[in-house]
Amino acid sequence: MRYLPCLLLWVFARVWGQSEAQRENFPFRCLQISSFANSSCSRTDGLAWLGDVQTHRWSNDSDTISFVKPWSRGKFSHQQWEKLQRVFQVYRTSFTRDIQELVKMVSVIHYPIEVQLSAGCEVYSGNASENFFHVAFQGECVLSFQGTSFQKAPEAPPWMESVIKVLNGDQGTRETIQQLLSDTCPQLVRGLLEAGKPELEKQEKPGAWLSKGVSPKPGHEQLQCHVSGFHPKPVWVMWMKGELEQKRTQRGDILPNADGTWYLRATLDVEAGEEAGLACWVKHSSLGGQVMILDWGGRQSSVGVISGVVAVIVVIILSCLVFCYVRKRRSYQDIL
Ligand SMILES: *[C@@H]1O[C@H](CO)[C@@H](O)[C@H](O)[C@H]1NC(C)=O
Ligand SMILES: *[C@@H]1O[C@H](CO)[C@@H](O)[C@H](O)[C@H]1NC(C)=O
Ligand SMILES: *[C@@H]1O[C@H](CO)[C@@H](O)[C@H](O)[C@H]1NC(C)=O
């Protein structure tokens, strides 16, 4: 009994923590893509995303960061952005030079070279945040930044050892990265979440419709369920038979519509004639806990059912009329 209040508090904290985390689930990711065709030609481009929304762009052809959304400046002042831009300009120049030097020094590296860098952070309630920094070389993860220093990835080639040693010897760079990741990034993201709140948290209800596609298997049919116009992106779509999930449901990629909402198609291959009782279920945060259900049978025979019902009603009315008429005639006959 003595532990019950503690336990309740723990459960409450977990549930509360979860809903908080869900509400603020907007990781900020910066992507750097560098392509080196040869020793004299290279380019470095950058992109940034908050959750599923692109917020910034930095082309090789430009010295300035482009703000994709009206709220992409967040709560940073003009001076703060100027300062950040200068840091990135210096970084881009020295990064390009460093890679070119590396190719000269390490005999096993040859052009063309692709380097990708993914870095960013996610903020939580309170002052908590997490950050990440990963680098891929020729498509393989080679290093990450953890805490205060660079670490070699397990699958990295042996020459990375000396690169990491050099990088970790440069205290200025380490401090700059640490500050960008653990101070600047969360501060920027809090500002973006506030400034972009109406767009990030907008709720748009999905529309849905069914259609029949061609199945690759002979004697099979492909049932298609299209769900479109929803926001935010997370959505649950499943083909069901009664209450039973059809695990063979194939989900496509969630694709963007031009208006900032999303589209998803879920298909199910069934043997021809086995469509009876199947329905497409859609769950989405905008539906307030309700499930949208589209019956395959309903789609197929809704017109048939309605005319059937109408026919039955007409028959009942007609027989009623005939019955009454006959009874009336009879009563007249009785009188006559
Ligand atoms: C480097 O690559 C670029 C683009 O592929 C090409 O136009 C250029 O001629 C190349 N330069 C050398 C020195 O190979
Ligand atoms: C990328 O930018 C650098 C620096 O401005 C420039 O020297 C280089 O030619 C550019 N690369 C391409 C492919 O345009
Ligand atoms: C939140 O973190 C920042 C930087 O890490 C710090 O300056 C600030 O004082 C913290 N605020 C609170 C309420 O802990």
Side-chain angles (χ1 to χ4, degrees):
M1 259 335 258
R2 270 180 55 194
Y3 297 111
L4 189 62
C6 268
L7 192 67
L8 281 179
L9 208 63
W10 180 76
V11 168
F12 175 75
R14 280 188 68 96
V15 170
W16 184 75
Q18 263 174 11
S19 59
E20 280 294 292
Q22 269 163 8
R23 192 169 61 80
E24 289 189 37
N25 191 12
F26 292 102
F28 184 69
R29 293 171 289 148
C30 301
L31 200 64
Q32 173 198 332
I33 303 147
S34 297
S35 308
F36 296 76
N38 49 45
S39 57
S40 55
C41 180
S42 76
R43 65 177 300 138
T44 289
D45 298 278
L47 299 162
W49 300 76
L50 183 63
D52 306 314
V53 180
Q54 194 187 346
T55 50
H56 303 85
R57 194 171 42 224
W58 192 28
S59 163
N60 186 75
D61 310 323
S62 166
D63 274 341
T64 56
I65 297 168
S66 308
F67 299 103
V68 177
K69 294 285 174 187
W71 43 268
S72 291
R73 286 174 185 275
K75 299 279 165 184
F76 276 10
S77 66
H78 187 67
Q79 283 82 353
Q80 276 173 300
W81 276 112
E82 290 277 303
K83 203 175 138 197
L84 263 184
Q85 231 156 232
R86 274 199 302 279
V87 170
F88 286 130
Q89 280 160 5
V90 170
Y91 165 74
R92 185 164 69 180
T93 312
S94 35
F95 176 83
T96 306
R97 197 191 48 222
D98 288 350
I99 295 287
Q100 286 163 346
E101 287 300 312
L102 183 72
V103 179
K104 284 186 201 156
M105 277 160 44
V106 182
S107 59
V108 293
I109 305 177
H110 303 287
Y111 292 109
I113 290 167
E114 283 290 325
V115 182
Q116 289 143 306
L117 187 152
S118 165
C121 64
E122 186 165 359
V123 301
Y124 305 106
S125 53
N127 221 4
S129 70
E130 270 174 25
N131 60 60
F132 56 91
F133 183 106
H134 301 285
V135 179
F137 189 87
Q138 309 290 48
E140 297 272 359
C141 191
V142 288
L143 68 85
S144 61
F145 190 83
Q146 311 271 353
T148 56
S149 61
F150 293 96
Q151 309 270 315
K152 181 173 165 285
E155 60 268 37
W159 55 263
M160 273 307 292
E161 294 280 8
S162 41
V163 172
I164 302 238
K165 221 178 201 166
V166 172
L167 285 173
N168 280 335
D170 181 352
Q171 200 184 347
T173 301
R174 281 198 286 140
E175 278 172 7
T176 305
I177 293 180
Q178 200 191 336
Q179 194 189 350
L180 285 173
L181 287 177
S182 51
D183 294 340
T184 314
C185 185
Q187 207 187 329
L188 171 65
V189 170
R190 286 200 181 88
L192 287 173
L193 287 173
E194 205 178 316
K197 195 179 164 103
E199 177 167 349
L200 294 166
E201 293 188 358
K202 80 174 169 193
Q203 292 283 334
E204 298 278 359
K205 282 188 189 171
W209 66 97
L210 305 177
S211 69
K212 193 188 281 190
V214 180
S215 166
K217 272 198 238 162
H220 279 67
E221 285 186 346
Q222 189 182 59
L223 314 189
Q224 303 175 331
C225 181
H226 310 260
V227 184
S228 188
F230 55 90
H231 190 279
K233 199 175 179 183
V235 68
W236 183 92
V237 181
M238 184 65 77
W239 279 97
M240 307 279 286
K241 193 157 214 164
E243 300 273 306
L244 251 148
E245 289 184 11
Q246 301 299 293
K247 300 284 187 202
R248 288 172 299 115
T249 298
Q250 301 254 350
R251 266 173 73 117
D253 290 328
I254 300 186
L255 305 173
N257 284 324
D259 63 355
T261 63
W262 300 96
Y263 166 87
L264 173 68
R265 193 180 76 163
T267 60
L268 182 70
D269 258 27
V270 293
E271 266 181 62
E274 294 289 307
E275 308 92 335
L278 285 165
C280 176
W281 287 31
V282 181
K283 294 182 194 174
H284 187 257
S285 54
S286 65
L287 298 171
Q290 286 188 317
V291 186
M292 192 184 253
I293 299 177
L294 289 95
D295 274 310
W296 183 262
R299 168 195 171 272
Q300 287 301 80
S301 55
S302 59
V303 176
V305 168
I306 289 171
S307 42
V309 169
V310 170
V312 168
I313 293 172
V314 168
V315 166
I316 291 172
I317 294 175
L318 275 182
S319 28
C320 202
L321 284 177
V322 169
F323 180 66
C324 296
Y325 179 67
V326 169
R327 270 192 64 166
K328 263 195 178 147
R329 285 239 352 208
R330 229 186 246 149
S331 47
Y332 291 140
Q333 276 168 352
D334 289 347
I335 298 165
L336 290 172

